[in-house]
Amino acid sequence: MTLSDYFDRLEAPARTVTVYAPQPRPAIADRIETETGVDTVDYRSLPAAAATEEGFLVVREGAEKRSDEPASAEDGEFVAAIGLEAAREFLEPPIVAPWAETDDGAYRRVIEVFEATVWQALDRRQLLAISREIETRAWRVGSGTLRVSFQRAAALEAMAPVYVRLAGESTLDVHAYVADEWDRPAIPGVTIHADAGPEIGTFWVLAFDGGGDELRTGGLIARERADGTFEGYWTDDATLVAELEDALRDSVD
Amino acid sequence: MDPEQSPAEPTASPDLLDDAFLALRERDRRLVLYFLLEHETASLSELADVVTAWSHADDSRVIEPRCRNQRYLRLRQVHIPKLVDADIVTHDEETGRVSLASCPEPIRELAARACAAEAGP
């Protein structure tokens, strides 16, 4: 199975997001509607007396849309909820090093909320934030295998210091896949699979096997679109991450 | 001044106020009332989502299903029956819908003031 096969087979559960806030409907509801693959985004007002910071969103799964009522409000199983202030942070995420101590960044939690959702229009900054989340997990576990793909050699070169430290200060096995040739110096501790072929050039992939801990696995796959944004998906599911690793290895020419 | 709303004539009996303050004594019950003031009726399931998420809206935590489900049970077994006993809400067990229809006006007014004081800017 190649990365293309893997990506095309992804099936996101039918999810609804309901934004609760005092009138008017907050702009974040529209952003979630256009930027994520969430099927339905609803808005339900909170009393006008409530402060706008009191707003929150609720993610539900498996709701059946009925024509006469808002689907999310009536059906579907609760998946997660988070305050709108924290949700907004994910749309403009801070990028921190994997070993940074600021581990309670709100965006990390929002990443969990939208885990296993196919996003339609992720930008590079958001993908970098998700990548850092997976790398941070790998850094904390300190063992296991981290696989990362790069569309261009220059992109790997720019990230080299991060991976040198990740590999050098842990027993992590770091594999980097590059679509291009790699004619630069070796990166200590990092196994480079250069000239890996067009599949690698099409996708942004990261996979961490959890180092034996199924609760710490993490995988990200995103495909660049014509407008420079990405369709993407990330998951903590150990089986899906293992399949992603297989697809990554199978895609190397 | 509206003569029928003269402050000299109380609009709520002591019993009614007892009920109102009993209803408003717990935050989860207040949040139920605030949401129903806006929508009149909602499913118990949505009320559980709203009460859980609203009470954590400002601490940037992700609310997980376990936390929400505990809240749901507590609403169903404790808070909604108390509100039903005080004739503030009705609960249709078959459809799961909770409605504010029977709520006396003075209790609505108190709840609206509490909402502004507790959840306002």
Side-chain angles (χ1 to χ4, degrees):
Chain A
M1 185 168 61
T2 64
L3 290 170
S4 298
D5 298 333
Y6 181 92
F7 196 80
D8 292 339
R9 275 190 4 176
L10 287 176
E11 275 182 36
R15 283 196 174 162
T16 58
V17 169
T18 307
V19 173
Y20 293 87
Q23 303 266 19
R25 174 183 158 115
I28 191 172
D30 301 324
R31 288 196 69 177
I32 292 169
E33 202 151 37
T34 53
E35 294 176 28
T36 76
V38 168
D39 302 273
T40 313
V41 179
D42 284 325
Y43 165 64
R44 294 268 274 167
S45 56
L46 292 182
T52 49
E53 309 86 72
E54 297 268 316
F56 51 88
L57 63 82
V58 176
V59 184
R60 298 183 182 91
E61 201 168 288
E64 279 176 44
K65 183 82 181 166
R66 288 188 301 203
S67 53
D68 55 336
E69 292 182 81
S72 62
E74 302 305 320
D75 299 298
E77 200 171 320
F78 179 95
V79 173
I82 192 164
L84 288 186
E85 291 298 313
R88 275 188 197 100
E89 265 204 53
F90 176 67
L91 298 168
E92 313 288 341
I95 306 297
V96 296
W99 41 82
E101 292 295 320
T102 55
D103 59 348
D104 53 358
Y107 73 95
R108 290 225 169 103
R109 305 194 185 96
V110 184
I111 287 173
E112 289 168 27
V113 171
F114 288 110
E115 187 251 340
T117 297
V118 178
W119 286 61
Q120 305 299 328
L122 288 161
D123 61 29
R124 287 180 181 277
R125 190 171 180 83
Q126 289 163 339
L127 285 172
L128 196 53
I130 300 157
S131 301
R132 279 298 158 80
E133 163 62 16
I134 296 170
E135 288 159 3
T136 300
R137 220 173 273 179
W139 169 258
R140 298 231 172 107
V141 174
S143 62
T145 305
L146 177 70
R147 298 177 196 279
V148 196
S149 82
F150 292 90
Q151 294 170 292
R152 284 169 295 277
L156 170 55
E157 194 172 32
M159 294 295 288
V162 172
Y163 294 113
V164 167
R165 183 159 176 194
L166 269 179
E169 298 184 20
S170 71
T171 60
L172 275 171
D173 212 356
V174 180
H175 289 258
Y177 299 78
V178 196
D180 290 354
E181 287 183 8
W182 181 260
D183 53 7
R184 302 154 207 235
I187 302 176
V190 178
T191 309
I192 297 174
H193 305 263
D195 219 355
E199 280 276 298
I200 302 298
T202 312
F203 290 95
W204 177 319
V205 178
L206 226 91
F208 174 56
D209 67 1
D213 182 350
E214 290 211 338
L215 297 176
R216 302 295 199 102
T217 60
L220 161 70
I221 180 167
R223 177 159 58 191
E224 191 164 8
R225 309 192 312 170
D227 65 359
T229 64
F230 289 78
E231 293 172 84
Y233 175 94
W234 60 94
T235 180
D236 294 341
D237 183 278
T239 309
L240 288 171
V241 173
E243 282 177 16
L244 178 59
E245 285 193 271
D246 289 344
L248 180 57
R249 282 188 303 216
D250 287 352
S251 297
V252 175
D253 278 348
Chain B
M1 188 180 284
D2 182 352
E4 284 174 52
Q5 290 289 316
S6 157
E9 287 174 51
T11 55
S13 69
D15 283 352
L16 192 67
L17 285 174
D18 282 351
D19 288 346
F21 283 106
L22 173 74
L24 294 167
R25 194 180 146 236
E26 293 255 354
R27 189 178 184 206
D28 281 9
R29 293 202 287 269
R30 290 197 295 276
L31 294 176
V32 165
L33 285 190
Y34 302 162
F35 192 69
L36 289 177
L37 280 177
E38 183 74 6
H39 295 281
E40 278 299 310
T41 170
S43 67
L44 183 56
S45 174
E46 183 180 21
L47 287 173
D49 298 355
V50 165
V51 165
T52 314
W54 198 346
S55 59
H56 289 285
D58 53 0
D59 66 6
S60 80
R61 261 185 57 202
V62 171
I63 310 302
E64 299 189 345
R66 201 168 50 120
C67 172
R68 179 268 177 197
N69 293 341
Q70 285 169 351
R71 241 19 191 275
Y72 175 85
L73 287 177
R74 188 116 182 103
L75 278 185
R76 203 182 69 180
Q77 292 168 353
V78 179
H79 296 312
I80 298 297
K82 276 203 160 61
L83 292 172
V84 169
D85 286 348
D87 290 325
I88 292 169
V89 304
T90 55
H91 179 207
D92 183 331
E93 304 253 359
E94 226 163 81
T95 62
R97 292 201 76 80
V98 177
S99 165
L100 201 59
S102 62
C103 182
E105 193 52 39
I107 295 183
R108 285 176 186 258
E109 282 170 21
L110 277 173
R113 285 188 188 209
C115 179
E118 179 172 37

